Amino acid sequence: MRIIALLVFSTLLSIPSFGWGPIGHRTIGLVAQQHLSKKTKRKLREILKHESLAVVSMWMDEERSNPNYKHMEDWHWVDIPDGKTYAESEKNPNGDAIQTINRLIDELESGTLSLEEEKINIKMLVHIIGDIHMPLHVGKTGDQGGNKVKVRFFGDETNLHTVWDSKIIDSKKFSYTELAAAIDHFDDESTIEKWQSDDVMVWVEESMSYRDLIYDLPEDKYIGYYYIYDAWPVIQERLHKAGVRLAGVLNKIYG
Ligand SMILES: [Zn+2]
């Protein structure tokens, strides 16, 4: 019995984590909700019924162990080596986050989906637009977006990916509603418009631009207050931009 428990536990540990944790994804969903046009809000209520964007934001991670959705596994991320562009990089034959975002938007714009298909496309879009703003979801190749980089976060043995997707956020002890309120505080329309006019490749290049900061680890691989001090403003901006841009995409489709 003990051995089985141990085996199950070690299998769980070896699954690489993908994307923001629940607080990050829900924050993005809530920020987006606050930037939707009236028309888009109405349309989303017809499609998602009682579920908010924050609630559906984790659907892709919740379904990861569902064999019916196994083909979606590589759609949360993309690898682009240092010094290369997406066009120059080797493409994943199973698809990637960039291809998937573009396809989901095209399908939603075509207006040919059934209500059920439309619902699933929106759930996926909320999640993947969030993921691609997580800098380690645009991986530099070879280390599974930091999953293979072992570090210590205060006392815990963990990896760099987990530090960025949830450990730092969780350490701040915000609920997602508190975090959304904390980051989405300005009414500067020109910034909002600028962010919403950037296309997917800009989102990706921004995510890549943080590699020096992310990989600048102390010799002993101990991540504490000093590292978090630099990382936290980046994380807040990525969540904010992801939410504002998600709203921009949905307003373009439905507004
Ligand atoms: Zn994900």
Side-chain angles (χ1 to χ4, degrees), residues 108-132:
L108 287 166
E109 278 175 343
S110 77
T112 56
L113 301 178
S114 69
L115 197 63
E116 193 51 34
E117 288 168 337
E118 202 165 357
K119 193 180 189 176
I120 289 187
N121 270 33
I122 290 168
K123 287 181 176 186
M124 289 169 61
L125 198 59
V126 176
H127 187 88
I128 306 176
I129 289 182
D131 274 351
I132 211 166

Side-chain angles (χ1 to χ4, degrees), residues 38-233:
K38 275 204 180 106
K39 211 172 152 200
T40 309
K41 271 188 194 158
R42 211 177 316 127
K43 191 73 201 165
L44 288 180
R45 256 199 308 273
E46 277 170 40
I47 302 163
L48 298 174
K49 311 285 183 227
H50 61 281
E51 293 183 298
S52 65
L53 293 177
V55 166
V56 302
S57 67
M58 283 296 285
W59 179 81
M60 270 189 91
D61 282 344
E62 287 157 6
E63 295 295 340
R64 271 180 61 208
S65 51
N66 181 341
N68 295 338
Y69 293 114
K70 193 117 188 75
H71 60 285
M72 296 180 177
E73 216 166 63
D74 291 347
W75 299 354
H76 300 243
W77 53 278
V78 60
D79 268 353
I80 304 177
D82 280 332
K84 285 208 174 172
T85 63
Y86 176 64
E88 294 161 351
S89 330
E90 203 183 315
K91 306 292 180 295
N92 184 335
N94 302 327
D96 62 44
I98 296 174
Q99 285 174 18
T100 309
I101 288 173
N102 287 329
R103 177 174 55 77
L104 293 171
I105 294 173
D106 285 348
E107 288 172 359
L108 287 166
E109 278 175 343
S110 77
T112 56
L113 301 178
S114 69
L115 197 63
E116 193 51 34
E117 288 168 337
E118 202 165 357
K119 193 180 189 176
I120 289 187
N121 270 33
I122 290 168
K123 287 181 176 186
M124 289 169 61
L125 198 59
V126 176
H127 187 88
I128 306 176
I129 289 182
D131 274 351
I132 211 166
H133 279 79
M134 186 327 212
L136 284 168
H137 270 249
V138 184
K140 59 179 188 173
T141 66
D143 72 352
Q144 289 184 347
N147 271 294
K148 286 186 174 169
V149 181
K150 301 286 164 238
V151 295
R152 277 186 306 137
F153 186 78
F154 295 98
D156 297 345
E157 300 282 338
T158 182
N159 65 66
L160 193 56
H161 190 99
T162 307
V163 166
W164 276 80
D165 76 15
S166 51
K167 291 270 184 201
I168 294 174
I169 295 177
D170 293 349
S171 76
K172 297 290 177 181
K173 305 278 184 216
F174 282 112
S175 66
Y176 79 85
T177 52
E178 289 165 347
L179 186 52
I183 61 177
D184 193 22
H185 49 74
F186 63 84
D187 291 304
D188 176 359
E189 272 309 313
S190 64
T191 304
I192 302 289
E193 274 169 30
K194 165 76 183 69
W195 287 358
Q196 291 181 336
S197 69
D198 295 330
D199 73 12
V200 182
M201 291 327 292
V202 174
W203 313 348
V204 166
E205 281 158 22
E206 285 173 357
S207 276
M208 291 172 75
S209 73
Y210 297 110
R211 285 181 187 170
D212 286 350
L213 180 145
I214 292 171
Y215 285 91
D216 185 16
L217 296 168
E219 199 96 322
D220 59 4
K221 304 281 185 281
Y222 178 91
I223 292 182
Y225 292 114
Y226 192 72
Y227 185 91
I228 293 174
Y229 185 81
D230 290 330
W232 182 231

